[in-house]
Amino acid sequence: MGAISSSGVFTPSSAGTATITATSTQDLTKSGLSTVTVTAISTITSVAVTCSPTNVLADQTSTCSATVTGTGSYNQSVGWSVDSGSIDANGAYTAPDILHASATTSVLATSKADSTKSATTQISLTYPVPLILFVTPQTTNVGSDDT
């Protein structure tokens, strides 16, 4: 579980509970007990992010989710940010309401427990091609000789 130096400093080697007994060197009949609980340090190892769909039109939405992995008992929540459009605390992305051209926006999820751990994915913002229909009336002249 760990080691105790001659000066009485306990250095744990792993997580768990240890009972430490200290005995007087002057009077071996005098001693005391202490229980020490060692918990593992929580560490975030990575963040991954996905969005679906990955291609949206103006004012459409995409649902983004993040997976945070780590060791120990760690906080799995993330903060969200985007280059264009908006994203809420739950990862719901909304494209800008007006697009002037097709583009790509970056979606960033950053661990709230360790801001050095983050992940990025892309959403394509598609500018709709306008549908233009031309209707040209066809004129037919019908005369008295035509049947």
Side-chain angles (χ1 to χ4, degrees):
M1 176 69 207
I4 300 174
S5 70
S6 60
S7 61
V9 176
F10 174 65
T11 304
S13 59
S14 63
T17 302
T19 301
I20 299 170
T21 304
T23 305
S24 169
T25 56
Q26 298 294 320
D27 183 353
L28 298 178
T29 64
K30 306 289 184 195
S31 64
L33 296 175
S34 180
T35 302
V36 176
T37 302
V38 177
T39 56
I41 296 173
S42 299
T43 304
I44 303 298
T45 55
S46 67
V47 176
V49 62
T50 59
C51 298
S52 181
T54 58
N55 191 347
V56 296
L57 298 172
D59 209 33
Q60 286 187 332
T61 61
S62 180
T63 302
C64 300
S65 62
T67 303
V68 178
T69 56
T71 60
S73 178
Y74 58 91
N75 179 352
Q76 295 185 24
S77 61
V78 296
W80 295 98
S81 63
V82 291
D83 293 338
S84 178
S86 63
I87 193 163
D88 69 15
N90 298 315
Y93 171 77
T94 302
D97 57 354
I98 298 174
L99 293 174
H100 299 288
S102 292
T104 301
T105 189
S106 293
V107 178
L108 175 68
T110 303
S111 166
K112 288 190 175 182
D114 181 352
S115 62
T116 67
K117 301 293 190 271
S118 62
T120 304
T121 192
Q122 305 293 315
I123 295 178
S124 296
L125 306 174
T126 303
Y127 179 71
V129 176
L131 179 61
I132 301 172
L133 297 174
F134 291 99
V135 178
T136 305
Q138 205 168 0
T139 305
T140 305
N141 293 325
V142 178
S144 60
D145 294 320
D146 295 334
T147 51

